[in-house]
DNA sequence: TTTAGCATTTTGGCATTCCAAAACTCCAAT
DNA sequence: ATTGGAGTTTTGGAATGCCAAAATGCTAAA
């Protein structure tokens, strides 16, 4: 009722550094996300807290917290006996996630139409152009990255923080599956057409159309991912792949 | 490649107890959620890890992990100096969350139509009947609870785990705001009509209509919540309310 | 009365440690 | 070759202690 400093957000003197200083937890969480996406920590791998902590040069305390965060993100799962392992979603789980992601992106597109700037539209269009132009020259990874960035840009344009945040988590969860799926060149033409439709609708700021285009695009992703992973699954069945 | 126990999921001998035994972290997280929803830990309150841990009868280690979980759920926020406090979302943040929640429930309704059983529909309809019948007799809290349960039942019927999970988190985040909003009796008739429309569409298993009805219902919630919280905000402005 | 600054207390981050439970090893019995 | 089980190792859960940074209280100068 009396003593209140409340000048929390003054200039720190340093430009652009008003965020909570990085803790080992955050560093570890970021690093882990990276290790998982790059499959340096492969799906399904069991994790030893001690070993991983040692590898990261930290103690178990912050590592455990980082794992807790990744668990919430769906990248780490705990077995019945509480041993952590890298999540290895089944095809049907990936499918369910993609469906939700579709709804999220459709909403993002719809919201974006109400407030997106010309510059932002131009940025999205630019990504689309690069994807199209580099279709036969870019590496799969580069194409994939551009694709991700394009979607990301649209979601960002929605200006809805919880939506952006939730989308980010689903994205992390689905990254590997979508990357694998993108390796297949088949269906490429359709994907490009869908991208064009999205950019077109967005340019017209047609909320309904943008939403519909994104939803349709993600529905295709469901189909393509399913196909890609089913083939992949069969290929792996020939080896003695541990799950 | 060789040694694999892999009989992880056998009957434990005890019925219905195949889940990882409860850790203090989970217990604490659940308890904290409850304390926050009941406003025993009021919005914006600063939290002392030591005090809270003592109050819960545990050490800081599991409490910190529980706080990390609640942070991911959006119920706890960390200040720039890393001091935890109960989240106190601004009106516009609540609004953004409600918008996402609308999309989630609309999707849930749509998916549900494809697989919902007669019994599940009956359950939803039963909730709706109870709400309607008890409109003038039930306590605001009881009405609210029924309302929540009805929505919950629909989302569950979607059979989409990530969707159910995500919806749950948004629900926790929005619980207090929606509860406050539900205290206002105004707009009650409209709410009931919307519920009827939802049940009606769901009964017909009309995905499009169900989705639309839910989306419309949540849009109303945005409006109502905004009204309720604005009034509430003004009322509090007269006091010397610390934020 | 307000404010600047110093001393004290409180706070969360993190490392370390102990412990019970789970996982693994290895050998004997079938 | 397979199985059963005792003994050992490894594992994550949790408590504790220390530290630097932040918050708070207090005093004195303006």
């Amino acid at each position: 009722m009396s003593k209140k400093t409340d000048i929390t957000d003054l200039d720190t003197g340093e430009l652009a550094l008003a965020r909570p200083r990085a803790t080992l937890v955050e560093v570890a969480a970021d690093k882990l996300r990276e290790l998982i996406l790059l499959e340096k920590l492969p799906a399904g791998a069991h994790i030893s807290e001690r070993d991983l902590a040692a590898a990261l040069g930290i103690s178990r305390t912050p590592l455990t917290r980082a794992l807790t965060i990744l668990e919430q993100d769906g990248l780490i799962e705990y077995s019945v006996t509480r041993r952590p392992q890298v999540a290895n979603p089944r095809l049907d789980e990936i499918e369910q996630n993609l469906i939700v992601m579709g709804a999220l992106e459709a909403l993002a597109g719809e919201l974006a139409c109400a407030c997106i700037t010309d510059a932002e539209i131009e940025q999205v269009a630019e990504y689309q152009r690069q994807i199209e132009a580099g279709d036969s020259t870019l590496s799969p990874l580069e194409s994939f990255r551009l694709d991700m960035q394009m979607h990301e840009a649209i979601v960002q344009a929605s200006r809805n923080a919880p939506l952006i945040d939730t989308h980010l988590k689903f994205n992390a969860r689905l990254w590997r599956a979508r990357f694998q799926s993108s390796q297949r060149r088949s269906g490429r033409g359709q994907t490009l057409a869908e991208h064009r439709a999205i950019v077109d609708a967005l340019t017209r700021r047609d909320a309904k159309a943008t939403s519909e285009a994104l939803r349709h695009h993600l529905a295709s992703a469901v189909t393509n991912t399913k196909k890609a992973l089913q083939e992949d699954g069969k290929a792996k069945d020939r080896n003695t792949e541990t799950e």
Side-chain angles (χ1 to χ4, degrees), chain A residues 42-63:
Chain A
H46 285 264
I47 289 176
S48 162
E49 289 190 359
R50 272 168 248 263
D51 293 350
L52 189 50
L56 296 176
I58 62 180
S59 82
R60 281 177 60 209
T61 309
L63 202 234

Side-chain angles (χ1 to χ4, degrees), chain A residues 164-214:
Chain A
I164 294 169
D165 186 63
T166 306
H167 179 265
L168 194 69
K169 289 184 178 175
F170 274 84
N171 220 4
R173 228 181 276 180
L174 290 167
W175 201 93
R176 194 176 49 241
R178 296 190 78 180
F179 178 63
Q180 286 174 5
S181 166
S182 77
Q183 305 290 56
R184 290 165 40 91
R185 303 288 298 173
S186 77
R188 201 87 192 112
Q190 196 198 341
T191 301
L192 290 177
E194 288 168 4
H195 278 181
R196 256 176 264 131
I198 293 169
V199 173
D200 181 55
L202 198 59
T203 303
R204 300 194 326 267
R205 290 189 172 77
D206 183 336
K208 185 76 185 155
T210 304
S211 174
E212 207 44 61
L214 277 162

